[in-house]
Amino acid sequence: MIAAAFPLPGPFVSNRSTADTSRSSSGFLHSVLSFTRLDIPQLELFEAAVMFPADTDPVTAHARLADTFGSKAGEGQFLFRLDSAVPGRFWVRSLEPWQKWPEGATSALEPKREVVQLAEGLMYRFTLPVCAGQEYVESGEKRVVAFESESLVHAWFSGNAEAFGFKPLMADIALATMRFSHRSANYKLVHAVIEGALEVTDATALRRRLVKGFGSHRKAGLGMLQLTH
């Protein structure tokens, strides 16, 4: 595991105030405060969990979710990730709540509305399971050679952070492997799990990534950034 720390920013002041003080005839000091209201960029999302049979692979789950939302993961409607603790359970984030369960689902939670504030200078803790690597086109199809060292993932993450809309404050990187079978073929996806803290620097860019995801293999449940205060 590789851990990287970045310089912490100074204190973030969210609003300014001015004070008008005057002393009354009784001798008490009266203070009148006025505050500047800030328009903070927000993103409304819906999050839910869906259960498929325990042997459901992520590509099959993606096909059923894509049919529900009318698009592939990362095309602006939804992202999803595998729950590592419960076989067959997937967590889904979407711009709209689903109107029906995905085909083949055995159970599903009602989508929960979340409003994410993205004020520049705001700090979040984060988790990002992501496949980053060298991309190329072969026979008209995109191929990815995943980075298999933590240092290469760190270089990719820190080198693209500005374009992603944030500044890393701290990042722990660990490599992981996802293995599954789909249509009688066995798959092995090397990816990284990045955890740490970040500061929002470009709310518009980060909003786009929260919707579209990061890296490759989003139809296998990678690339969804989770933010917590």
Side-chain angles (χ1 to χ4, degrees):
M1 176 183 293
I2 183 170
F6 302 84
L8 292 173
F12 170 60
V13 180
S14 61
N15 43 27
R16 299 174 60 189
S17 65
T18 58
D20 176 29
T21 60
S22 60
R23 191 175 297 275
S24 69
S25 58
S26 63
F28 288 99
L29 186 67
H30 297 283
S31 177
V32 179
L33 297 179
S34 63
F35 293 87
T36 301
R37 181 177 177 180
L38 297 181
D39 292 325
I40 299 176
Q42 295 181 336
L43 174 61
E44 182 181 74
L45 297 167
F46 293 87
E47 297 190 351
V50 57
M51 282 292 302
F52 292 108
D55 60 350
T56 301
D57 65 86
V59 177
T60 297
H62 172 265
R64 294 171 178 174
L65 290 167
D67 182 63
T68 298
F69 291 104
S71 66
K72 297 178 181 178
E75 292 188 354
Q77 293 301 312
F78 82 99
L79 294 167
F80 77 111
R81 64 178 176 85
L82 176 68
D83 188 323
S84 60
V86 181
R89 184 164 72 182
F90 296 84
W91 292 92
V92 185
R93 175 197 294 160
S94 60
L95 290 181
E96 299 289 340
W98 51 39
Q99 301 301 315
K100 62 178 182 178
W101 288 4
E103 181 184 354
T106 58
S107 67
L109 295 179
E110 187 72 17
K112 179 183 177 183
R113 177 177 177 269
E114 299 282 351
V115 177
V116 183
Q117 293 186 335
L118 296 173
E120 294 177 5
L122 197 63
M123 187 183 76
Y124 287 92
R125 294 188 297 273
F126 75 92
T127 300
L128 174 63
V130 62
C131 177
Q134 297 291 338
E135 298 183 1
Y136 65 97
V137 177
E138 181 180 275
S139 300
E141 295 186 3
K142 186 178 75 171
R143 306 290 184 182
V144 180
V145 179
F147 295 138
E148 295 192 1
S149 76
E150 294 160 354
S151 60
L152 288 174
V153 174
H154 175 262
W156 168 84
F157 185 68
S158 59
N160 289 281
E162 182 178 359
F164 293 154
F166 58 77
K167 177 170 67 176
L169 304 178
M170 182 178 297
D172 293 330
I173 301 172
L175 294 182
T177 302
M178 181 188 300
R179 291 183 172 86
F180 60 89
S181 297
H182 177 70
R183 294 181 178 176
S184 302
N186 296 323
Y187 292 86
K188 172 184 173 183
L189 297 182
V190 177
H191 61 284
V193 178
I194 310 175
E195 298 179 317
L198 59 81
E199 176 189 334
V200 179
T201 58
D202 185 332
T204 300
L206 183 54
R207 184 188 189 281
R208 184 167 57 250
R209 286 294 172 177
L210 284 171
V211 172
K212 292 185 174 297
F214 295 76
S216 303
H217 298 310
R218 295 171 208 180
K219 69 177 184 179
L222 297 174
M224 189 171 83
L225 178 69
Q226 299 166 259
L227 296 176
T228 57
H229 286 295

